[in-house]
Amino acid sequence: MKNCLTFFLLLTMTTASAHGPMPARLSPPSGLVQVGLTDNDTTAGGTARLCEQVSFSRGLRYGESEANVLDIATSAIKADTPRPVLLFVTGDTFTGDRQAPELARQIEDQAMCFAARNQMIGVRVNYRLAPAATWPMGATDVAAALSWIHGNIDLFNGDAREIVAVGYGAGAFHVATLLAHPEFQADRADVAAVVLVSGIYRAGKDASDSEKAYLGTDASQYNMRSVFPGILNVDVPIVLAWAADDSPGIVAQGETLKKTLCGAGHCPRSALLRSRDGIANAFGLDGSGDSLAEPTLLLVRQLEARGLP
């Protein structure tokens, strides 16, 4: 198994929950220590190749749980102006990734390096998993992470006004839930746009074991715990995607959300992916094409062009 390019940032901060006080502001980042590059795969798509000139700050605490940590990827080439933020909230299922943790992190690292190499700040959020963490803890963890980002991302030359949240798999549900349920939104937990990839947005009686572990076994609660109708009130740009090899249920979820949003006058830009074998694959970093890279970059450039004060 390949080892990825790893960096550690020795930072100290006060932890906080989603509804607790704001985390203490970090000191300006310093002392980035490169601890080794052992990935020999420098072919297209290899982590080492994609992550050249990218530095990682690992394990930054944003909440009380040991799971409440995030990683940040920045380009070694410093920009003159604050950069947009691409926030990744991933998860194959509500109970965790199907792949080994180290392999899953390598794949996510590639997506973060895509952000850094395209003049953005890449951020990956880890959050609590079912069955220990049930609805709505995924959404409140994302809210807490966003509060942390708003308070600290300028230290990494990030622009908190231009956060694009990318929800993938179970992460898409958590991001959409946060947008659809204002009661879960912590102080300064807003985003400028969202990309939702292959998520479920309303569970049904045929819910999977993973969905039941997070949403509970009482199907009468599923409508209330869905993203409807609150998602119809969201006024930020949305990119909605699913893959040709997704299950019929996942495809139906995406099509229903798109149809419902369009009916409410907020039709999202949509993309059909050729394959969805990991977040890096969804961004075409394996060279497969038909990816989220182009619509996501277009969305980010549109945010930059609008000229927020």
Side-chain angles (χ1 to χ4, degrees), residues 6 18 52 54 77 79 85 87 123 127 135 140 151 168 170 173 200 234 236 257 273 275 279:
T6 310
E52 290 176 353
V54 176
I77 302 172
V85 179
L87 171 67
V123 181
Y127 53 87
W135 189 90
T140 56
Y168 173 88
F173 181 80
I200 68 132
V234 174
V236 300
L257 179 57
L273 310 178
S275 180
I279 184 67

Side-chain angles (χ1 to χ4, degrees), residues 36-123:
L37 173 58
T38 57
D39 186 344
N40 294 319
D41 181 5
T42 57
T43 59
T47 303
R49 181 181 179 88
L50 287 169
C51 294
E52 290 176 353
Q53 298 297 311
V54 176
S55 297
F56 281 88
S57 303
R58 303 280 196 190
L60 308 182
R61 293 290 295 273
Y62 70 84
E64 293 178 346
S65 169
E66 291 184 0
N68 293 153
V69 295
L70 52 81
D71 296 341
I72 297 178
T74 57
S75 173
I77 302 172
K78 301 302 181 185
D80 295 332
T81 58
R83 307 314 305 151
V85 179
L86 208 56
L87 171 67
F88 296 99
V89 185
T90 68
D92 287 331
T93 71
F94 292 101
T95 53
D97 290 313
R98 298 186 183 93
Q99 296 167 322
E102 181 62 23
L103 178 58
R105 191 173 80 160
Q106 288 183 31
I107 293 171
E108 292 162 9
D109 278 355
Q110 293 179 15
M112 292 178 60
C113 291
F114 162 83
R117 290 168 67 96
N118 282 279
Q119 304 178 37
M120 294 176 281
I121 308 299
V123 181

